[in-house]
Amino acid sequence: MYFNEQSEVFYNGSFLKAKEASTNLYSQSLHYGNGVFEGIRAYDTKQGAKIFKAEEHYKRLKYGAEVMNIQFDYSPEELTAITYELLERNNLKDAYIRPLITTGANMSLLTSEETNLIIQCWEWGKYMGDKLLKVKTSKFQRPNPNSCFVEAKVTGHYVNSILSTNEAKKEGYDEALLLDMNGNVAECSGANVFMEKDGKLVTPPRGHIMAGITRATVIDICKEEGIPLEERFFTLEELKEADACFFTGTAAEVVGLQSLDDYKFPMNWEETHGYNLMKLYKAEVLEERVQEKAL
Ligand code: PMP
């Protein structure tokens, strides 16, 4: 599904066939989850393949390496150029891009001095389905920000996301919503959350959540479009009185919720700010919004 006979990856300075690449069985990333990754999208725009917010994603990758004490010297510009070449070599325009920094063999609990950079990509259809999600509040909380760097995409942190997604899927839901250690609404297992109440949007502030690049893009669009938005904590009880709710993320883009546990969001999705933002976001990634503004 992710690669075929021809697929190429970037691995420690060169391009090679995915089927020929191998990894170290003794890697600290495999044993302890000490690795850092990104999830990026490229879109087939009228101007050709465009990586959406490459600089922001690669800055976040570098931030993750820094806080985990992983030696990593590539600049966002170098990484972006490598990624464009990788897309071309794989003949991809609509793609998901997965850069991953792994650490070497070191069984002590100190970051290994060896670093590997792997960049993979695979085809990704134009949009995710526009189906509304049925969401379950997870029994798992997001990690305490004093236990790790919650804004770093460290591989080991994703055990929390896997636990909550497994739990939700097992009970017949599409996705999980996680609270923070204080009982406030935090985010989805791999996306940020926004609610709409009386024509106003609310999203949790940074601190207990991933600082999503889609979240930041949506906040910018709201400012430009005059959509009222507030960043503040809110409880599950408040969310269950909201008119509508949506998730944002590189993979999910902007996706609406049908329900949360037993609560059905009452507003018609097509009349919500979320629906409008879903369309504006799609135009933004395809670089069609800029043109509209310029006209
Ligand atoms: N929260 C979590 C836990 C995530 O893993 C992601 C995906 N990186 C997001 C939110 C959304 O972030 P972004 O918009 O940068 O993809």
Side-chain angles (χ1 to χ4, degrees), residues 39 57 60 142 153 158 161 187-192 210-215 248-251:
H57 281 283
R60 188 166 66 184
R142 288 300 287 160
K153 277 184 84 76
Y158 280 78
S161 298
E187 60 187 328
C188 167
S189 53
N192 293 110
M210 172 62 61
I213 291 164
T214 319
R215 172 184 179 277
T248 63
T250 297

Side-chain angles (χ1 to χ4, degrees), residues 279-290:
K279 291 194 295 184
L280 290 166
Y281 182 78
K282 283 175 180 175
E284 180 80 20
V285 297
L286 292 172
E287 301 197 335
E288 285 168 3
R289 229 183 124 239
V290 188

